[in-house]
Amino acid sequence: MSTASYIFGIVAASLTLVTVIELLRRRRLRERHIVWWLVFGVLVLIIAVFPSVLVWLAGLVGIAIPINLVFFVSIIALFLVSLQQSAEATRLENKTRVLAEDVALLELRVRELEGRMEHKASD
């Protein structure tokens, strides 16, 4: 591994961690989402600082080329994030539908009450 790629890995991992912490500080990310990003950032930083860990892990699971392990883990992580986002979107869609139904029922009730008030006022 060249010195430039070693430094690039450390800088990229550090920027990821700083960005995640800053997004949390500005409340742009919720706490339940931040855990996965922090774990990911710390793991990437560890691998950037100690690249031999990646070689050791790849050997442990029987992968000949360590970068393939990175790709595999990245694909799994993206799949899990996508699954979590889909579940959250479904939950929010259901909540939005229920809220729209509640608003429609309330509007109907208001119209009925206004009709009764107009009827009593005309008597």
Side-chain angles (χ1 to χ4, degrees):
M1 172 183 277
S2 71
T3 305
S5 63
Y6 181 75
I7 292 172
F8 176 75
I10 293 172
V11 169
S14 299
L15 284 175
T16 300
L17 280 173
V18 168
T19 302
V20 166
I21 292 168
E22 185 61 21
L23 288 172
L24 176 63
R25 191 182 71 78
R26 292 183 181 188
R27 301 204 182 273
R28 305 292 302 265
L29 279 177
R30 296 189 58 184
E31 290 82 10
R32 67 180 177 177
H33 299 264
I34 203 78
V35 172
W36 294 110
W37 289 109
L38 286 175
V39 167
F40 172 73
V42 168
L43 288 176
V44 170
L45 186 60
I46 289 170
I47 289 173
V49 173
F50 306 107
S52 59
V53 171
L54 180 61
V55 175
W56 177 76
L57 284 173
L60 189 66
V61 294
I63 296 176
I65 302 171
I67 196 68
N68 287 343
L69 177 62
V70 172
F71 290 138
F72 178 74
V73 170
S74 298
I75 289 169
I76 296 298
L78 289 173
F79 171 76
L80 292 174
V81 168
S82 177
L83 189 62
Q84 179 186 15
Q85 294 297 322
S86 295
E88 183 74 14
T90 301
R91 187 184 68 77
L92 290 173
E93 286 173 7
N94 289 337
K95 192 173 183 177
T96 301
R97 182 185 44 79
V98 169
L99 288 172
E101 291 170 354
D102 288 345
V103 168
L105 290 172
L106 288 172
E107 286 177 354
L108 178 63
R109 184 161 182 182
V110 167
R111 283 191 206 119
E112 289 175 355
L113 290 173
E114 286 174 345
R116 288 183 194 165
M117 294 300 289
E118 288 175 6
H119 181 69
K120 285 184 181 183
S122 65
D123 287 342

